[in-house]
């Protein structure tokens, strides 16, 4: 496994790989890898000749007062896990190299970035789209894999890739969960034991909503009220949003149909967690 920090060296390496006719799969991450990340890497490994993982805690997708400085990092452990998942190259550029003095260009997707996480984190998706575009340009992958835990991010990246005619297949992967249902996240490490316990209310809320729909409930309002009351019963949880939206447009829906997704963001203590699930055809 190679570790590449230099953008120029990475571009040369990728140009050689493409010239040799090899296919490249790419998994962008902020590191502190867990089994959710590894599920993306394993699928990328299966689908390509060369598997690239990027580890870059991107400063521009964090807002003022968010957890950029505290974001968990463990590069040595990430290397061990990446190797076990069959990664060929870890690309770890520095923030200085990615955003050199005078950096002035941003990529902005409008519309689907305005609600949900975009409402409470107004600069977040501009940071995500900018860094993903830069990483795509550097790595030149054939496919890129993203987790559907970050449901809005996946929708935004798909839209951006289509709108900018980027010749990259975006693969969305299922949410990887702890055995008790909590969606895996690098930020789960922030939770103390009581918060960890109460954080289960997010995935329980999704299961509750899916069960209501299975039993015939079709009004989003009724489902939202039930989920809201379930989260509200937890003293350490402060919901940011609970929404039923169309899976592609992310527009709020009144009536639940096969495209409906329940999306939740909530602070557990000071840790902001997200989770989501389809409301129909949930097995
Ligand atoms: P992050 O390091 O949090 O920026 O995540 C990097 C990628 O891993 C993103 O595409 C995430 O959606 C994905 N990811 C994070 N957590 C999970 C999970 N529990 N299951 C599947 N994918 C995940």
């Amino acid at each position: 496994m190679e570790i590449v920090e230099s953008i120029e060296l990475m571009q040369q390496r990728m140009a050689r790989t493409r010239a040799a006719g090899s296919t490249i799969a790419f998994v962008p991450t902020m590191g502190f890898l867990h089994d959710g990340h590894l599920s993306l890497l394993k699928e990328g490994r299966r689908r390509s000749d060369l598997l690239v993982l990027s580890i870059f805690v991107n400063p521009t997708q964090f807002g003022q007062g968010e957890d950029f400085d505290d974001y968990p990092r463990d590069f040595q452990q990430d290397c061990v896990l990446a190797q076990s998942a069959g990664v060929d190259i870890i690309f770890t550029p520095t923030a200085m190299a990615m955003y050199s003095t005078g950096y002035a260009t941003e990529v902005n997707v409008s519309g689907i970035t305005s609600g949900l996480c975009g409402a409470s984190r107004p600069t977040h998706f501009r940071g995500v789209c900018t860094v993903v575009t830069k990483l795509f340009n550097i790595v030149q992958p054939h496919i890129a894999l993203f987790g559907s835990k970050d449901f809005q991010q996946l929708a935004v990246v798909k839209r951006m890739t289509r709108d900018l005619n980027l010749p990259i297949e975006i693969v969305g992967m299922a949410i990887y969960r702890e055995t008790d249902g909590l969606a895996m996240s690098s930020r789960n490490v922030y939770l103390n034991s009581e918060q960890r316990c109460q954080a289960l209310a997010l995935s329980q809320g999704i299961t509750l909503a899916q069960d209501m729909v299975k039993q015939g409930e079709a009004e989003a309002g009724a489902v939202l009220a039930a989920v809201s009351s379930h989260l509200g019963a937890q003293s350490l949880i402060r919901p940011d949003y609970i929404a039923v939206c169309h899976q592609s447009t992310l527009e709020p829906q009144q009536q639940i149909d096969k495209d409906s997704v329940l999306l939740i963001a909530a602070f557990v203590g000071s840790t902001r967690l997200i989770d989501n699930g389809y409301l129909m055809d949930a097995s």
Side-chain angles (χ1 to χ4, degrees):
M1 188 174 72
E2 295 167 56
I3 296 169
V4 179
E5 191 180 293
S6 153
I7 293 173
E8 291 71 25
L9 285 181
M10 191 66 193
Q11 286 178 309
Q12 289 163 15
R13 178 76 173 79
M14 292 300 97
R16 282 203 305 277
T17 303
R18 280 209 162 230
S22 300
T23 55
I24 302 165
F26 177 44
V27 177
T29 77
M30 299 203 296
F32 208 69
L33 301 182
H34 52 65
D35 285 347
H37 296 118
L38 297 189
S39 69
L40 273 54
L41 290 170
K42 283 173 188 157
E43 182 63 10
R45 176 71 288 164
R46 201 180 66 74
R47 288 183 180 225
S48 66
D49 300 318
L50 189 101
L51 175 60
V52 177
L53 160 71
S54 67
I55 297 180
F56 180 61
V57 184
N58 174 38
T60 67
Q61 70 190 68
F62 290 80
Q64 290 253 315
E66 291 187 352
D67 58 344
F68 173 71
D69 288 331
D70 298 335
Y71 195 82
R73 295 159 167 93
D74 187 345
F75 187 64
Q76 291 315 315
Q77 174 72 356
D78 286 348
C79 287
V80 172
L81 293 172
Q83 182 118 43
S84 76
V87 169
D88 294 301
I89 302 178
I90 302 183
F91 177 50
T92 61
T94 62
M96 203 48 157
M98 288 290 275
Y99 303 107
S100 53
T101 310
Y103 186 89
T105 304
E106 289 177 326
V107 179
N108 187 44
V109 174
S110 57
I112 56 169
T113 56
S114 60
L116 304 169
C117 290
S120 41
R121 307 182 73 192
T123 58
H124 174 66
F125 287 113
R126 212 162 53 212
V128 168
C129 290
T130 302
V131 80
V132 169
T133 303
K134 284 170 68 64
L135 291 167
F136 281 177
N137 283 333
I138 296 164
V139 176
Q140 300 277 312
H142 297 86
I143 70 168
L145 299 99
F146 290 81
S148 62
K149 182 179 78 81
D150 300 83
F151 196 89
Q152 189 175 16
Q153 170 176 278
L154 174 59
V156 169
V157 168
K158 279 183 179 166
R159 177 64 56 84
M160 179 187 84
T161 304
R162 197 182 71 188
D163 288 354
L164 297 181
N165 310 105
L166 304 178
I168 301 168
E169 181 192 349
I170 305 300
V171 178
M173 297 287 294
I175 302 176
Y176 208 90
R177 297 179 180 280
E178 303 282 357
T179 45
D180 61 5
L182 181 69
M184 287 198 181
S185 164
S186 304
R187 289 188 168 98
N188 290 349
V189 74
Y190 295 144
L191 303 172
N192 66 29
S193 61
E194 200 181 349
Q195 291 166 342
R196 170 68 181 75
C197 201
Q198 293 203 13
L200 276 184
L202 276 77
S203 55
Q204 286 166 351
I206 290 161
T207 309
L208 170 73
Q210 289 165 338
D211 287 346
M212 286 176 76
V213 173
K214 227 176 258 168
Q215 280 154 33
E217 182 59 68
E219 296 287 335
V223 166
L224 290 173
V227 175
S228 172
S229 127
H230 185 70
L231 288 177
Q234 313 298 321
S235 58
L236 303 175
I237 293 193
R238 182 168 55 85
D240 178 9
Y241 61 76
I242 307 169
V244 172
C245 297
H246 185 281
Q247 61 163 321
S248 319
T249 63
L250 299 187
E251 288 293 328
Q253 290 183 309
Q254 309 288 324
Q255 290 292 310
I256 291 163
D257 62 27
K258 63 176 179 27
D259 289 314
S260 301
V261 186
L262 175 71
L263 299 117
I264 302 176
F267 287 92
V268 184
S270 58
T271 304
R272 188 174 178 282
L273 299 180
I274 54 175
D275 202 344
N276 67 81
Y278 286 96
L279 288 177
M280 280 188 168
D281 303 317
S283 48

